[in-house]
Amino acid sequence: MTIESLTLDPVTVQKLSGVTTATLTTVLLKKGLRNVWIRGTKPLKPGQARVVGRAFTLRFVPVREDLATPASWGAPISTRSAVEAMPAGCIAVVDAMGVTDAGIFGDILCARMQKRQVAGLVTDGVIRDRDGVVGTGLPVWCQGTAAPASAASLTFVNWQEPIACGGVAVFPNDIMVVDTDGAVLIPADLLDAVVEAAVEQERLEGRIMNEVKQGAVLPGLYPPNEAHKARYEAWAKTVR
């Protein structure tokens, strides 16, 4: 997987930036994908904006005391080296096996990621140095915080390979959309079809919400019956 292949079309980013993760899970469900919402991750800071980008994966395994040492932080295969391989615009997705008693990244690594214009960090684990991480401005979704370093409970093994994060299979180049509801994965091969369907679903639900605010009842409206579909299609032709 080349760094160039992780670049996401700005038009796609713009479209997905207007689509909620809730809408995406509905669209993906209609396409037969149920296991796309990463469990155990939430915004580190309230009010974080929606973030879109391709996944840059990192993987930890259970601690091996002979490998997970402070000296390992300077090894060729380390979280530090992984950060230096991250391209601008990617979202770092980290498999920490749900471990919550050791922080995978702290303020210095997050500051470097921010400097490299990484779009965000998503993990089923936790981070350390919370105040410092928040101060870097890097958007982070995680399970919380812990003071111990990753080597206390985890061993870092590699980056840019398939991982399991929050019970979801994540491959390099998959697309992540992250907002206040959490992180949702879009398989790379389904991107175009999902974007088109998601934008349309947002438009439909926006129209439905307007009608609900005006007093419309839900049966036949949500989901729309044939009569409501016809009315919606006639309206949609005027705004597309």
Side-chain angles (χ1 to χ4, degrees):
M1 187 69 62
T2 64
I3 294 299
E4 289 77 13
S5 67
L6 288 178
T7 302
L8 195 58
D9 174 24
V11 174
T12 299
V13 173
Q14 186 271 330
K15 289 181 178 179
L16 286 176
S17 294
V19 176
T20 67
T21 53
T23 292
L24 287 171
T25 58
T26 298
V27 170
L28 288 161
L29 178 63
K30 291 177 179 179
K31 295 184 179 298
L33 281 81
R34 291 178 169 81
N35 191 33
V36 292
W37 182 75
I38 294 180
R39 301 158 187 81
T41 187
K42 57 191 176 186
L44 180 65
K45 178 183 176 182
Q48 287 182 167
R50 188 171 298 124
V51 174
V52 179
R54 290 197 185 272
F56 184 98
T57 63
L58 299 91
R59 184 165 70 93
F60 286 87
V61 297
V63 66
R64 266 271 304 269
E65 288 80 1
D66 59 325
L67 299 175
T69 65
S72 69
W73 297 335
I77 296 180
S78 65
T79 53
R80 280 69 173 165
S81 296
V83 168
E84 296 304 321
M86 294 177 184
C90 77
I91 294 179
V93 184
V94 186
D95 173 7
M97 304 186 309
V99 170
T100 59
D101 60 359
I104 57 162
F105 286 168
D107 54 357
I108 293 176
L109 269 66
C110 288
R112 180 59 179 159
M113 291 167 66
Q114 176 75 352
K115 190 71 173 179
R116 292 185 60 80
Q117 300 179 38
V118 171
L121 167 64
V122 172
T123 181
D124 57 2
V126 299
I127 55 95
R128 61 199 303 239
D129 303 317
R130 183 191 184 280
D131 290 346
V133 170
V134 169
T136 69
L138 179 73
V140 175
W141 283 258
C142 62
Q143 288 211 62
T145 60
S150 61
S153 298
L154 295 163
T155 302
F156 181 71
V157 290
N158 211 355
W159 62 90
Q160 284 302 76
E161 64 180 24
I163 62 170
C165 186
V168 176
V170 183
F171 287 74
N173 214 35
D174 284 339
I175 293 81
M176 304 299 302
V177 180
V178 202
D179 63 15
T180 53
D181 282 354
V184 170
L185 174 144
I186 303 173
D189 290 344
L190 296 180
L191 177 60
D192 291 342
V194 168
V195 169
E196 180 180 355
V199 170
E200 181 62 22
Q201 184 72 23
E202 284 284 0
R203 185 183 291 119
L204 170 62
E205 293 193 3
R207 179 70 174 179
I208 290 172
M209 178 61 79
N210 285 337
E211 295 201 26
V212 168
K213 289 179 177 178
Q214 293 170 18
V217 297
L218 292 178
L221 175 66
Y222 184 58
N225 58 21
E226 292 305 315
H228 277 292
K229 284 181 182 178
R231 286 171 50 201
Y232 168 74
E233 285 298 330
W235 169 82
K237 289 178 181 178
T238 69
V239 297
R240 284 182 181 139

